[in-house]
Structures are given as C-alpha cells and as structure tokens.
Amino acid sequence: MRVLFASTEGSGHFNPLVPFIDACVARGDEVLVVGPPKLEARLAERGQPYRIGGEPPAAETAAIMERFSRVSRKEAAVLIDRELFGRLCTAAMLPALEEACRDWRPDLVLREPCEYASAVAAERIGVPHAQVAISAARIEAGALELAAPALAPYGGEMVDRLRASPYLTRFPASVDPSPYALTRRFREAAAPRTAPLPDWWGGSAEPLVYLTLGTVAGGLPVAAAAYRAALEAVGGLPVRVLLTAGRATDVSALGPVPPNVHVEAWVPQADVLACADAVVCHGGSGTTFGTLAAGLPLVVIPFFADQPTNARLVSEAGAGLMVGPSGGSPDTMPALGPDDVPRIRAAVESVLADPSYRTGARRLADEMRTLPSIDDLLDTLAADFVTGLPPQPQPQPRPRPRPQA
C-alpha cells in the first residue's frame, strides 16, 4: 500500500502521524510525507521520503499571530482555524500536494485535522483519505466548522466529505464521544525511554511532579507570569519538580527558581512519565494523552485552543483537577497571577494525596490498552480502501459513568 502523510508545521500536529508512519514502514508499505518548509528538518532526520510544500506569506502569518493574544477567545479561534489553517496554509500547500497525489498516486492519504490541502488534492483525483486526530473529537469538529467558509472555494461538498472521512483517534470513548460516523479508535504503543532521568535533586526520594506549559505557551506574552505563578505554587512543597520550559522560553526571565525545582528546555516525555507521580500542564493534547496513557493524575491549567476542553474531560473523568487561570476575562486570553498560586498548590497536594485521581487515570490507561493496534487499524483501512469496499461505521462503546472527583 502507498500512503501519503500530510501535516502542518507544529510538532503537536505532526507527532500523532509518526506512529502511523513508523507502522507503515515496518509493514513494508511505501510512504511519502509532505509538509511545509518549517517541518523539513524534522522530516530529514527521520529518513523517510518527503516533499516540501509552500508556506503562507510571512507578513500575513505574523499579522494573525500578533492579533491572537489580544482578541477574544472566539476571534482567536477564527484566526487560527479559519484564516491560518483553512485559508493560508491550504492555499500554500495545495500545489505540492496535488503534484504528489497526481504523480505518486497514493492508495491512501492520512492527514492531521488542520491540514486540509491533502484532502482537497485527494478528492480531486479520487484517492481516499482519513484524518488522525490531535485533540478531542468535539474540538476537531468545531475547528472544521470554523474553517468551513475558507474551504468553500474548493467545492460545495468539501466540508461534508471531510466529515464523512474516517476519523482515527487514540482517545478512549469514555472521555471522548465522537460526532464522526466513521470514528475508529486505536492503541498507540508506548514510546520507549531513551535514558533514566539524572538525579537533579541530590538523592531526594520525594514524589516527582512534572511541570510543563508546552512549546507554544513559552513564546506568548502570558508565559513569564504563568511560569512564575507555577513555580511559586510548587516551591516549598515536599516534592521534586522537573520544569520543561521549551526552547522558546527565556529561562533567565523566570526569576528565582525554588531549590526543589530543576529546569530544562526539553526532556523526552517518555523518560519523565516513567518515573513521575503527577503532571501539571496546560492541557495540550499530546501531554494530556501521554499522561493519561501512563496512568498518572493531572493538574491542568488551560489557556486556549483545545486546552479548556481537555481539562474538563480530565476533571470529569476523575483523573485530575482543572485550575482555570483567574486573570483576564471570558473575552480575552486568560493569564495566571498571584491569586492562582494557592489554587495550583492545593490542586497539586490533592492529586498526590487522594488516590482516587490516580485510580481514575489508571482506569483510562487500561481502557486505552484494550483498543486495536495501529497495525490492525491499517489492515482495516487497507481492506476498506485498497480493495474498493466502502468503509463502514463501527459501533462506538458507550461512555462509562464518570466518577465524582
């Protein structure tokens, strides 16, 4: 089988495709990855065949990002989902993806949900396509609704075709009911550890708390205050803390770091989760999913995009607590401040002391382990598409009753 993969530039968008790329390579399938210029270094180091498409005009992208942090949450979502991904990125990537589909003739296109050009190109030559979810299904469906006006020029049925294509997700049904008729869930193999964590805490055996606000937040104006509040919240607690601040963060701007906290730009997530006791994060889908798959409780401090929804899903499932930033207003980008410090501290103490949160997280991890493997899912897609049979909806498991936190 020939499989073409397509992604926008962000690591959080490309990473969900990686297990499928690796599985296809291991099966002996032919693989081609198409991405924008800022993804080229990542694609080159992986070694699979790839092509580079276009990118939106820098001035237009900069104008969107400049407005992003000072407009209402609703307008920010429109800027990203419709104007950036739906309009600019689709137009920039379409020529390369049309050429790849026409010349390379894939049997199947697998894309991340914000990359629309590959689906447009696939539809134009009759190649089947499916999307590999980044976030919860309700988030992906909402983003498509926002992007719909920008996709209308590519055909009146384009959005309907996107809704009808198979939706592949690693999130379990009990916390992620899906509006997509062809939802197929899969089990993602645990990432291997690369090395044990160094002893950055002088032999301390206190519980380990992993603190991260992701790679995007580090470059936003709210970052400095957010990290400062989080550091004050965990400072002095009887815990070890590993803070990964991202390469976009000026660590020197964080101010004094408590003695129980060690700061790194980046550490492989699998290495941290293998020995952590709890995670404090922003609620990005990659961190949230990885933590739940490891059976660890969370304290989620959401800011934007899919983070508030992920935080609510975690809280409702009894796998952690949500601490919404109190700064700002419902119509502006939220911000952490001094008033949030005791709230974060209390939440961290609660998820470490109350075993029900770990029990909730482990229940979800057990549910994830029962899902079909990626190899099994690829076999199903091959049977559906390569043999010419129309894909059939699969019954979705009923969500389990959610325990009270």
Side-chain angles (χ1 to χ4, degrees):
M1 182 167 65
R2 284 188 153 196
V3 186
L4 185 151
F5 292 88
S7 176
T8 55
E9 68 184 54
S11 293
H13 293 249
F14 179 65
N15 286 344
L17 294 175
V18 169
F20 282 85
I21 297 172
D22 292 342
C24 285
V25 170
R27 289 157 51 95
D29 295 327
E30 293 183 69
V31 165
L32 176 65
V33 187
V34 183
K38 289 182 180 177
L39 197 59
E40 182 168 13
R42 179 81 186 275
L43 298 181
E45 72 182 11
R46 286 189 50 80
Q48 284 90 38
Y50 68 89
R51 297 186 186 184
I52 298 300
E55 61 184 348
E60 292 193 57
T61 302
I64 287 175
M65 299 312 295
E66 191 277 329
R67 293 178 58 197
F68 175 77
S69 61
R70 58 182 178 84
V71 299
S72 72
R73 298 183 192 183
K74 290 182 179 180
E75 188 176 355
V78 171
L79 284 173
I80 298 301
D81 293 324
R82 181 180 301 167
E83 295 303 317
L84 181 60
F85 291 132
R87 182 172 66 87
L88 294 177
C89 292
T90 302
M93 286 292 294
L94 187 57
L97 281 157
E98 283 193 308
E99 181 181 27
C101 284
R102 182 178 61 249
D103 298 344
W104 196 66
R105 302 299 300 186
D107 299 302
L108 173 64
V109 169
L110 287 181
R111 65 182 187 88
E112 53 95 351
C114 295
E115 201 297 300
Y116 299 111
S118 60
V120 173
E123 285 287 328
R124 287 180 174 176
I125 65 170
V127 174
H129 54 90
Q131 57 181 317
V132 180
I134 300 170
S135 304
R138 71 183 75 173
I139 293 292
E140 307 292 18
L144 179 57
E145 289 298 323
L146 289 178
L151 300 175
Y154 300 106
E157 297 183 353
M158 191 65 231
V159 174
D160 290 336
R161 297 294 295 164
L162 289 168
R163 291 193 190 101
S165 65
Y167 177 81
L168 318 179
T169 180
R170 55 194 173 169
F171 283 92
S174 66
V175 295
D176 184 29
S178 173
Y180 292 94
L182 286 173
T183 297
R184 288 181 173 158
R185 303 181 190 275
F186 61 89
R187 177 181 77 250
E188 189 173 292
R193 295 180 66 180
T194 59
L197 283 185
D199 180 12
W200 286 308
W201 301 274
S204 171
E206 299 286 3
L208 175 61
V209 174
Y210 178 39
L211 171 58
T212 175
L213 298 181
T215 56
V216 175
L220 295 177
V222 298
Y227 280 118
R228 188 70 255 151
L231 286 172
E232 291 179 13
V234 298
L237 288 178
V239 297
R240 296 171 292 152
V241 179
L242 173 61
L243 165 61
T244 55
R247 296 183 175 94
T249 301
D250 179 5
V251 175
S252 65
L254 297 179
V257 175
N260 63 328
V261 177
H262 179 78
V263 180
E264 289 284 322
W266 180 83
V267 174
Q269 182 169 275
D271 294 354
V272 185
L273 296 182
C275 50
D277 295 279
V279 174
V280 179
C281 69
H282 60 320
S285 290
T287 307
T288 302
F289 172 82
T291 303
L292 292 177
L296 298 176
L298 299 100
V299 173
V300 185
I301 309 167
F303 292 94
F304 54 85
D306 57 351
Q307 298 165 13
T309 296
N310 289 339
R312 287 191 291 271
L313 293 177
V314 167
S315 178
E316 291 169 3
L321 292 171
M322 172 180 175
V323 182
S326 59
S329 71
D331 291 328
T332 61
M333 179 72 70
L336 284 176
D339 292 344
D340 296 309
V341 171
R343 299 170 60 230
I344 298 170
R345 177 184 291 264
V348 173
E349 291 174 324
S350 293
V351 299
L352 288 173
D354 187 342
S356 69
Y357 295 111
R358 181 175 287 271
T359 299
R362 285 177 173 171
R363 186 187 68 254
L364 295 179
D366 290 341
E367 183 181 352
M368 293 178 192
R369 282 191 286 270
T370 68
L371 297 174
S373 69
I374 290 177
D375 273 338
D376 290 339
L377 183 52
L378 287 169
D379 286 340
T380 300
L381 292 174
D384 285 344
F385 290 132
V386 179
T387 62
L389 298 175
Q392 298 298 314
Q394 293 184 343
Q396 298 300 307
R398 293 184 178 181
R400 301 177 185 175
R402 290 177 174 133
Q404 297 298 314

